[in-house]
Amino acid sequence: MDQVTVLAPATVANVVCGFDCLGFALEEPFDEITLRKIDKRDVRISHHDDFGLPTHPTKNVAGIALIAMLDSLNADFGFEVEITKRIKPGSGIGSSAASSCGAVFAANSLLGGRFSSNELIDFAMEGELAASGTKHADNLAPSIFGGFTLVRSAEPLDIISLEFPPLFATIIHPQIEIKTAEARAILPKDVPLRAAVRNWSNLGAFVAALAKGDYYLLSRSMEDLIIEPARKSLIPKFDELKAESLAAGALGGGISGSGPSVFMLSETIEIAQSTSSAMHSIYSTTGVDFNIYISSISPTGVRLAQ
Amino acid sequence: MDQVTVLAPATVANVVCGFDCLGFALEEPFDEITLRKIDKRDVRISHHDDFGLPTHPTKNVAGIALIAMLDSLNADFGFEVEITKRIKPGSGIGSSAASSCGAVFAANSLLGGRFSSNELIDFAMEGELAASGTKHADNLAPSIFGGFTLVRSAEPLDIISLEFPPLFATIIHPQIEIKTAEARAILPKDVPLRAAVRNWSNLGAFVAALAKGDYYLLSRSMEDLIIEPARKSLIPKFDELKAESLAAGALGGGISGSGPSVFMLSETIEIAQSTSSAMHSIYSTTGVDFNIYISSISPTGVRLAQ
């Protein structure tokens, strides 16, 4: 096999109470990435979309991740990469993670699966480092492992796949720009111990709720006294989105990654659709363009296209 | 039934990565508490031990908890209470929680189980408030529910019983005094966000490890960058205790509650015994008196004596 196509879905990081460690994978939207093995040690990228992303391999997260993989093999071959992005860059739902994870997952398939999932994430983390200035895996982990993941440590990598019950996500992507660096700078360097205790109590409860399939506990645990209060002012109508989603029956939710997307989790597809309607009503009056996605949780993350 | 005897075991709070929320119940040591219903609205306490605890009901945590219960019932009856404490007060393994939880659990048995577990904890919390100045439930929750518990919130009470695999605790109680107030005062008011993230990643991982029965993950997750560094200087030979326990095969551990007891968790009773030997060797040279306990985790917490 010299060519493979993979679907690399969007991912939601932080998940309200798990800042910088928790994430989950969506079924859609997803990028489509085709890799061909070539005889020359090179990475050639072409984009079939309108986002104007750089195609030079050292400027493109997929390219950076593939170069890291080829370097580790001291390879005498390379890859030709065609990327059709459907996850808009800067949306806060893991667009760069989809590119880099999709690319290394596809490459690993062409190489007969010689790399472990953790090794793939290590390669992809080189892309995240270039994109955001830090090595973080909270979008990469669900992209590669699927489902809900907890990154206990990024260096060395320690990723836990969490059990989870059926859940449906509704995601609104307001078409405004929030720079990750800006969203980081707005955060406090120090936090009150009391607030930190509350956050870790919530994260512990959230993980337990996933394992038990306890939707009400999941709902109560999606509370954040530290990150959300600092960042929510960057997102128009954030409080209304949350209040009306809860009123529509959603279990809870908040900022996806560093925004601007906002996600909500629901117990059923019907509630996820009601939540979508509520979000639509609120944003229709803002003059801000937006997309809304409804998706179940992907148990696999990146997968081979059928 | 007008008389009942219960066994109220020691409990370990904080559990390294779950400051102020996580706890577990031991099988032993335990206090023995006998309650008799009496016709007069009164609480009469006698102690069959040498700890010199106050017996006036408003000065004794068991008395305070029972008064709270009687008040809620506007009762025309009372209780006579005999307490034989085997959990030394001030040891950091939930001595006051054993008294108050044992008393309200026994009273509830005499009353036909009319109160829920959460209501019992609410009564017992009045005792903790009097003993330590704050309403906290991290020892009360495992005492009443047994096993491992997470207190997501103390007001309103939100307690989660966690799944857990077979585990054995080794606990050393150095006979030195650490005032809870002093152990609180030594803590930072604010903590670096980076350290807080690490702590909540560890707690999330610990809860997942309990649910999966993943002993290695449990071991990696018992890490605390915030509380332990501040408090460990209060406990002689803390670092040696930890290092030698790990060398003996223990999974991990740290300060029990606010100390001075130090606990370690092991996968088997044999390793718990080796850990005990290692602790014994270290403390034999200190000139500090100490007790060491080995116990499995109690799935029930307080229980009726057979």
Side-chain angles (χ1 to χ4, degrees):
Chain A
M1 185 175 63
D2 281 340
Q3 173 173 325
V4 69
T5 297
V6 302
L7 309 180
T11 47
V12 171
N14 296 348
V15 199
V16 189
C17 56
F19 176 69
D20 260 7
C21 60
L22 194 62
F24 63 83
L26 299 168
E27 286 290 351
E28 52 190 340
F30 53 81
D31 294 346
E32 200 170 326
I33 301 177
T34 298
L35 243 75
R36 268 179 296 277
K37 207 170 154 193
I38 56 175
D39 289 337
K40 190 157 173 280
R41 167 75 173 268
D42 198 6
V43 175
R44 297 174 200 150
I45 298 172
S46 58
H47 263 283
H48 303 296
D49 50 53
D50 300 326
F51 298 125
L53 290 173
T55 54
H56 192 283
T58 63
K59 306 281 184 198
N60 180 298
V61 295
I64 293 165
L66 289 173
I67 289 169
M69 180 187 276
L70 292 170
D71 286 351
S72 84
L73 289 170
N74 200 15
D76 60 359
F77 58 88
F79 296 110
E80 204 168 75
V81 189
E82 289 179 40
I83 304 178
T84 307
K85 283 202 83 64
R86 298 203 186 86
I87 310 166
K88 194 167 175 176
S91 52
I93 50 173
S95 181
S96 67
S99 290
S100 56
C101 288
V104 295
F105 183 92
N108 199 38
S109 297
L110 291 179
L111 299 176
R114 61 182 296 164
F115 293 109
S116 70
S117 295
N118 274 3
E119 287 172 314
L120 296 183
I121 289 173
D122 268 327
F123 298 137
M125 237 179 346
E126 297 297 325
E128 294 291 75
L129 176 63
S132 74
T134 58
K135 278 198 169 185
H136 60 97
D138 38 344
N139 286 102
L140 306 177
S143 182
I144 291 291
F145 285 91
F148 279 81
T149 54
L150 184 78
V151 181
R152 198 192 69 79
S153 158
E155 295 186 281
L157 210 51
D158 192 0
I159 292 168
I160 302 117
S161 279
L162 304 173
E163 299 295 309
F164 63 99
L167 281 166
F168 298 85
T170 312
I171 292 163
I172 181 166
H173 172 211
Q175 311 270 318
I176 58 172
E177 187 182 13
I178 297 180
K179 299 254 186 229
T180 302
E182 182 193 353
R184 285 255 157 206
I186 212 172
L187 297 180
K189 289 257 179 309
D190 297 307
V191 300
L193 177 56
R194 186 182 291 261
V197 167
R198 183 75 181 201
N199 262 47
W200 67 60
S201 305
N202 277 317
L203 179 58
F206 187 89
V207 172
L210 285 179
K212 289 168 183 275
D214 182 337
Y215 291 106
Y216 293 109
L217 179 57
L218 206 70
S219 177
R220 299 197 298 280
S221 308
M222 277 194 273
E223 177 191 61
D224 170 14
L225 305 186
I226 295 174
I227 311 301
E228 183 176 292
R231 282 183 171 171
K232 68 180 186 176
S233 62
L234 299 175
I235 300 167
K237 302 265 185 193
F238 177 83
D239 285 335
E240 288 92 323
L241 279 175
K242 194 157 180 172
E244 293 301 317
S245 295
L246 295 175
L251 297 167
I255 304 168
S256 175
S258 53
S261 288
V262 172
F263 80 98
M264 291 286 151
L265 288 172
S266 298
E267 198 175 335
T268 66
I269 184 80
E270 290 78 14
I271 299 174
Q273 284 158 346
S274 302
T275 301
S276 166
S277 302
M279 288 177 165
H280 198 282
S281 297
I282 293 163
Y283 254 70
S284 298
T285 66
T286 58
V288 176
D289 284 342
F290 62 95
N291 296 321
I292 297 180
Y293 306 100
I294 298 174
S295 173
S296 57
I297 309 301
S298 168
T300 59
V302 186
R303 63 190 188 276
L304 294 175
Q306 295 304 314
Chain B
M1 185 174 66
D2 280 341
Q3 173 174 325
V4 70
T5 297
V6 302
L7 308 180
T11 46
V12 171
N14 295 348
V15 200
V16 189
C17 55
F19 176 69
D20 261 7
C21 59
L22 194 61
F24 63 83
L26 299 168
E27 286 290 353
E28 50 189 344
F30 54 80
D31 293 346
E32 200 170 326
I33 300 177
T34 298
L35 243 75
R36 268 179 296 277
K37 207 169 153 194
I38 56 176
D39 288 336
K40 191 160 172 279
R41 167 77 173 267
D42 198 6
V43 175
R44 298 175 199 149
I45 299 172
S46 58
H47 263 284
H48 304 298
D49 51 52
D50 300 327
F51 298 126
L53 290 172
T55 53
H56 192 284
T58 62
K59 305 282 185 198
N60 179 299
V61 294
I64 293 165
L66 289 172
I67 289 169
M69 180 187 276
L70 292 170
D71 285 351
S72 83
L73 289 169
N74 200 14
D76 61 358
F77 58 88
F79 297 109
E80 205 168 74
V81 189
E82 290 178 40
I83 304 178
T84 307
K85 282 203 82 66
R86 300 204 184 86
I87 309 166
K88 194 167 175 176
S91 52
I93 50 173
S95 182
S96 66
S99 290
S100 57
C101 289
V104 296
F105 183 91
N108 199 37
S109 296
L110 291 179
L111 299 176
R114 61 182 296 165
F115 294 108
S116 71
S117 295
N118 274 4
E119 286 173 314
L120 296 183
I121 288 174
D122 267 327
F123 298 137
M125 239 180 344
E126 297 296 327
E128 296 290 75
L129 177 63
S132 73
T134 58
K135 277 198 168 185
H136 59 97
D138 37 346
N139 286 102
L140 306 176
S143 182
I144 291 292
F145 285 91
F148 279 81
T149 53
L150 184 78
V151 182
R152 198 191 69 78
S153 159
E155 294 186 282
L157 211 50
D158 192 359
I159 292 168
I160 302 117
S161 278
L162 304 172
E163 300 295 308
F164 62 98
L167 281 166
F168 298 86
T170 311
I171 292 162
I172 181 166
H173 172 211
Q175 311 271 316
I176 58 172
E177 188 183 11
I178 297 179
K179 299 253 185 230
T180 302
E182 182 192 354
R184 285 253 155 204
I186 212 172
L187 297 180
K189 290 256 178 309
D190 296 308
V191 300
L193 176 56
R194 185 182 292 263
V197 167
R198 184 73 182 203
N199 262 48
W200 67 60
S201 305
N202 277 317
L203 179 58
F206 187 89
V207 171
L210 285 179
K212 289 169 183 273
D214 182 337
Y215 290 106
Y216 293 110
L217 179 57
L218 207 69
S219 177
R220 298 197 298 279
S221 308
M222 278 193 272
E223 177 191 61
D224 169 16
L225 305 186
I226 295 173
I227 311 301
E228 182 176 293
R231 282 184 171 170
K232 68 180 186 176
S233 62
L234 300 174
I235 299 168
K237 302 265 185 193
F238 177 83
D239 285 335
E240 289 92 324
L241 281 175
K242 194 156 181 174
E244 293 301 317
S245 296
L246 294 176
L251 297 167
I255 304 168
S256 176
S258 54
S261 288
V262 173
F263 81 97
M264 289 287 150
L265 289 173
S266 297
E267 197 175 335
T268 66
I269 184 81
E270 290 77 15
I271 300 174
Q273 285 158 346
S274 303
T275 301
S276 166
S277 302
M279 288 176 165
H280 199 281
S281 297
I282 293 164
Y283 253 70
S284 298
T285 66
T286 59
V288 176
D289 284 341
F290 61 95
N291 296 321
I292 297 180
Y293 306 100
I294 297 175
S295 173
S296 56
I297 310 302
S298 167
T300 59
V302 186
R303 63 189 188 277
L304 294 175
Q306 295 302 316

